[in-house]
């Protein structure tokens, strides 16, 4: 290849090994930044309600549920990964049609049910806003 032709290709960005390496590094850097932003956003979304759920626990809010109950699953999904901070009582005893003793004592009949301190359980899926209003815990 003549020297003149090689220079023309370099100017057009097609012939230089250095040019290709530089492009690869730029694309790799952009890809790493995008992946980092995605992971950070996902972590925030999954743990967005950590402090809210911890506040519910400090206010003696408690959820009673059944592992197989679709409404209980819906309620849990509202908290995403933060649900593990919510005081939760599993009322189903696997392999039995009996209800857990703690649920019987609390007088829970429908699921999910929420109990706030010593009050009677409140039945149904509650919005996070309703839980916030009831406990005074602020939402993020």
């Amino acid at each position: 290849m003549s020297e003149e032709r090689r220079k023309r290709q370099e100017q057009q960005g097609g012939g230089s090994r250095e040019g290709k390496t530089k492009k690869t590094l730029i694309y790799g850097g952009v890809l790493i930044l995008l992946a980092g932003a995605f992971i950070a956003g996902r972590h925030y979304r999954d743990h967005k309600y950590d402090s809210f759920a911890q506040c519910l626990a400090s206010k003696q809010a408690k959820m009673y549920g059944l592992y197989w109950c679709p409404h209980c699953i819906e309620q849990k999904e509202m908290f995403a990964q933060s649900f593990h901070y919510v005081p939760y009582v599993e009322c189903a005893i696997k392999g039995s049609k009996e209800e857990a003793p703690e649920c019987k004592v609390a007088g829970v009949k429908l699921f999910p049910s929420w109990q706030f301190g010593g009050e009677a359980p409140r039945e149904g899926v509650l919005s996070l806003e309703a839980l916030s209003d009831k406990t005074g815990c602020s939402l993020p």
Side-chain angles (χ1 to χ4, degrees):
M1 179 181 315
S2 72
E3 184 66 25
E4 221 175 283
R5 187 173 177 191
R6 188 183 62 75
K7 285 183 180 179
R8 217 176 321 139
Q9 283 184 340
E10 283 180 16
Q11 288 173 348
Q12 295 172 351
S16 168
R17 200 174 252 238
E18 291 174 12
K20 289 180 181 178
T21 302
K22 193 182 273 188
K23 281 183 181 178
T24 303
L25 288 174
I26 290 171
Y27 289 137
V30 168
L31 185 60
I32 289 170
L33 287 173
L34 289 173
F38 174 78
I39 291 168
R42 186 171 178 193
H43 177 77
Y44 173 75
R45 184 187 71 232
D46 288 348
H47 296 279
K48 180 178 176 180
Y49 297 110
D50 282 0
S51 61
F52 178 67
Q54 290 168 346
C55 180
L56 291 178
S58 74
K59 303 286 184 168
Q60 281 77 48
K62 186 186 299 184
M63 181 184 154
Y64 294 90
L66 305 167
Y67 67 90
W68 51 264
C69 163
H71 299 293
C72 301
I73 293 167
E74 176 188 348
Q75 184 78 75
K76 292 175 186 178
E77 287 174 348
M78 290 180 183
F79 288 91
Q81 294 295 322
S82 302
F83 186 76
H84 72 275
Y85 291 114
V86 175
Y88 174 74
V89 179
E90 178 58 52
C91 293
I93 299 173
K94 290 186 179 182
S96 171
K97 293 185 180 186
E98 289 294 313
E99 192 175 286
E102 189 177 347
C103 301
K104 288 180 184 178
V105 170
V108 178
K109 302 271 189 254
L110 298 174
F111 301 95
S113 287
W114 285 89
Q115 189 171 34
F116 304 97
E119 297 179 13
R122 185 169 167 189
E123 300 164 341
V125 175
L126 299 181
S127 69
L128 298 180
E129 291 78 13
L131 290 168
S132 175
D133 290 344
K134 185 70 178 163
T135 60
C137 296
S138 59
L139 284 166

